[in-house]
Amino acid sequence: MKVQTPMASLGGIVRRTEPLKTGDLIRQYLAELAQHHHLILSFARRDIRVKYKQTAFGVAWAILQPFSLMLIFTLVFSTLARVPSDGIPYPIFAYSALIFWTFFATSISQGTVAMVANAELVRKIYFPRETLILAVMLSTTFDLLIASTIFGGMMLYYQIVITWNLLWILPLLVLQIFFVLGVICVTSALEVHLRDIGHVLPLLLQLWMFASPVAYPLSLVPPWLQPVYLLNPMAFLIDSYRRVILQGTPPNPVQLALAIAVAFLLVSVAYLGFKRAERTFADVI
Amino acid sequence: MGDFDIRLDRVSKIYSLHRASSLRDEAGRLARRLFLGHDTPRERCTALSDISLEVRRGETVGLIGSNGAGKSTLLKILSRVTVPTSGQFWTSGRVGALIEIGAGFHPDLTGRENVFLNGAILGMRHAEIEAKFDHIVGFAEVEKFLDTPIKYYSSGMLVRLGFAVACHIDPEILLVDEVLAVGDASFQAKCLNKLAELKAQQKTIILVSHVMTNILQDSTRVLWIDRGTVRALGEPERIVEEYLESAQHGIAEVSALPQAPDPSPIRIRDVTIKDSWLRVSSVLEHGRPATIEVGYRALSSVSDPVVAIEFHDARGYPLGGLTTRLDGVKLDATREHGVVRLVLSPLLFTRGAYGVNVAIHDARIQRYLDFRPGATMFTVEGPGIASREVSGHVVYPHRWEVETSDAARDTE
């Protein structure tokens, strides 16, 4: 059985007289990526296995992280600071945001170092580098699934009424994944050149969390600030997860359209930039 | 594309040298590079310039050149790890690289898991690896340890496993870089057989080696790269001879063979050839003294190491060697740095080009502590084969005696 060589006919034609149109370029990238889908799975399998192989708690860590954050948040923001939570019990109010936020933050921090962590491979072997990013995405999605099991239990405990609007979770997750992929395309390529990114990131993510309605409700943000505030797709996403899961209402359509626009613009520009930067990864990393 | 499996058309690769710069400079430059696709000029280094080459299906092209000549860069371009700065190239079919075997192995995963991971990285599908799994494991001789994390494997096992996966990719084009120097003798024989098998299957092979014997044995053509340009391309024997004769090899060129897996207590640092005036030179004169100087560095104290120097002709045919032990010379390797000189006085080699292998053994010559095949080369001026006055590579110490008389010789 033979595998079709990626881009066999195109070999490595460099500096063509007529550059490909952007659309063709993206199509070509995606076709090559599709040929490497098995590699994405292999990397993801590796990442998941390695992550849990040598830990005593194993996959329980995927739950412990957001869960312990929830306990701390409940203590600090609800019990002490008395932050309102739109009439929802604070623990589940916080957890509904924290599992998606943890998904976001771990994806970004692991995705950013995806190239550097695999520097040996990148230096020596050719494969579309975005497979590493997509593998990170798969393994963090796996964590999210684990973390959401306990969420189900909490929903029963707090007697949350489930509505059809819960199905909105899936498109919202897809939107979040696209947005995150866009961010990682930029940060992981930058990280190859400048290791500073990896150092700045934890701080940045911390700030980003407080700029999103994770610990507090969106209603606490003054109306005049909201248009700017909602330019952050994570602000919209976190608020919407709460709406569709806890309140049984659909996301705000205008905000949804805005978030889709931001995410798709980002992911397409970032992907093209990533593919351009990718050519020199092996030389620089 | 015709029936060419590889075609390079004026391929160049220029690396820009990275200097430490401020974060602000770097950020601005990056933004330009990422989003505009060009870069402000920096210090540059040309690794390859205007390389053109066509390789037919089933050909084996030997790639030779001194270290830093651009051989690895060329292989990197062919395997698509890096992109040429200008020029175009085509390859048809799957490219397999026996270059960095075992890349992507993860220490915490088992042998089985790593076979699948490494296979996938090298471009095999899951089903394909499954089908070849028993072969791979059998080839690597690691059946018993399949479910052990490979961090517990010996380095020999790792190399075998890596090679086993790599040579089961079944590529149309195979890039081989000095890997034949890995593993123990029986595994090496296995690798050489595998290479011969791939050759017989009409695979297109690019073979890099510092061992000219391998190049001459296997190549249909030889490409000699010198400072990033094609110096010569053609019939193996002629090019290898030219290569060995080229003057620039006089000054020590310690070959970039994969280092011995375990950190060796003693390392050959450089090998230098000096002429009868004790000048560093690669051109020696027949009948005059010549010196081969081996600098070494002992990282830890070694008791009685033995330095061995072997000579071979342009085709890699061995012409004998000498060891310090043979002559009862003791080396003091309790100090860190040392130099051993072999003085050949007079030099008996005939005109031609010669290669030198240098090795350091343990006291009983049972183990290599360091080995540099093709460590350096030299040419000899003087009477040569072509003059029909001498034959072979050595003129023995000798004299002729002639006796004449008018009377019949008394034989009683």
Side-chain angles (χ1 to χ4, degrees), chain B residues 23-245:
Chain B
L23 184 67
R24 213 181 49 194
D25 289 356
E26 197 68 33
R29 181 175 289 141
L30 252 165
R32 274 194 297 279
R33 177 157 52 212
L34 285 177
F35 297 108
L36 300 176
H38 56 77
D39 197 354
T40 42
R42 299 189 192 207
E43 234 176 285
R44 284 164 189 283
C45 152
T46 307
L48 287 178
S49 77
D50 279 344
I51 303 281
S52 296
L53 173 71
E54 285 173 335
V55 182
R56 283 174 196 284
R57 174 144 313 158
E59 255 195 303
T60 299
V61 174
L63 188 54
I64 59 175
S66 48
N67 289 323
K71 301 188 298 284
S72 313
T73 307
L74 187 56
L75 290 189
K76 274 188 165 180
I77 287 173
L78 287 174
S79 59
R80 297 187 61 205
V81 170
T82 189
V83 177
T85 314
S86 67
Q88 302 189 334
F89 78 98
W90 292 263
T91 51
S92 70
R94 177 147 69 166
V95 179
L98 291 183
I99 299 176
E100 299 288 356
I101 53 180
F105 273 175
H106 197 289
D108 287 332
L109 298 180
T110 66
R112 184 191 306 277
E113 289 164 342
N114 268 304
V115 167
F116 280 95
L117 176 63
N118 192 230
I121 291 169
L122 296 177
M124 281 193 269
R125 278 165 199 279
H126 198 83
E128 196 184 353
I129 306 169
E130 236 159 31
K132 292 175 179 167
F133 188 79
D134 291 340
H135 269 115
I136 294 174
V137 173
F139 192 91
E141 302 161 25
V142 293
E143 292 95 334
K144 280 187 232 157
F145 308 98
L146 265 185
D147 295 304
T148 311
I150 62 163
K151 60 184 167 190
Y152 302 117
Y153 279 31
S154 71
S155 49
M157 285 161 77
L158 282 177
V159 165
R160 291 206 301 271
L161 191 63
F163 191 87
V165 179
C167 67
H168 281 82
I169 336 168
D170 191 26
E172 278 79 37
I173 299 171
L174 189 68
L175 311 175
V176 185
D177 188 2
E178 212 79 79
V179 283
L180 302 172
V182 302
D184 56 24
S186 72
F187 189 71
Q188 265 189 35
K190 224 170 172 178
C191 298
L192 286 169
N193 289 343
K194 187 73 194 179
L195 194 67
E197 195 184 299
L198 291 168
K199 244 183 101 173
Q201 289 169 13
Q202 287 292 297
K203 304 287 185 195
T204 305
I205 301 173
I206 303 277
L207 177 68
V208 174
S209 182
H210 282 95
V211 183
M212 292 301 136
T213 340
N214 286 348
I215 294 279
L216 287 167
Q217 235 163 39
D218 292 317
S219 313
T220 47
R221 278 193 299 160
V222 167
L223 173 67
W224 173 10
I225 296 193
D226 184 25
R227 271 165 284 176
T229 57
V230 174
R231 175 86 172 253
L233 172 67
E235 198 260 323
E237 302 207 348
R238 185 174 58 84
I239 308 251
V240 167
E241 189 126 358
E242 266 179 50
Y243 168 69
L244 291 174
E245 278 177 9

Side-chain angles (χ1 to χ4, degrees), chain A residues 1-3 5-8 12 15 38-39 42 49 53-54 123-124 126 193-194 276-277 282-283, chain B residues 13 15 26 33-34 79-82 85 89 91 93-94 100 106 108 113 120 124-125 128 151 172:
Chain A
M1 189 181 142
K2 277 180 187 169
V3 179
T5 308
M7 294 169 67
R15 200 170 277 183
H38 60 286
L39 187 55
S42 296
R49 282 204 179 120
K53 213 161 201 174
Q54 298 237 316
R123 210 176 290 133
K124 291 169 179 173
Y126 173 78
H193 294 264
L194 283 178
R276 192 193 284 279
D283 304 338
Chain B
K13 177 75 187 180
Y15 287 105
E26 197 68 33
R33 177 157 52 212
L34 285 177
S79 59
R80 297 187 61 205
V81 170
T82 189
T85 314
F89 78 98
T91 51
R94 177 147 69 166
E100 299 288 356
H106 197 289
D108 287 332
E113 289 164 342
M124 281 193 269
R125 278 165 199 279
E128 196 184 353
K151 60 184 167 190
E172 278 79 37

Side-chain angles (χ1 to χ4, degrees), chain B residues 331-392:
Chain B
L331 265 69
D332 177 18
T334 52
R335 307 239 209 116
E336 194 181 344
H337 296 280
V339 173
V340 176
R341 288 187 198 91
L342 171 67
V343 182
L344 299 168
S345 180
L347 186 69
L348 301 179
F349 289 121
T350 54
R351 184 163 74 211
Y354 299 91
V356 181
N357 301 341
V358 180
I360 300 185
H361 298 278
D362 65 343
R364 282 177 298 169
I365 319 197
Q366 285 177 334
R367 221 156 54 83
Y368 281 110
L369 299 177
D370 197 3
F371 179 42
R372 307 293 168 116
T376 187
M377 290 140 190
F378 60 88
T379 56
V380 176
E381 305 276 344
I385 301 169
S387 68
R388 291 173 191 259
E389 285 169 340
V390 295
S391 63

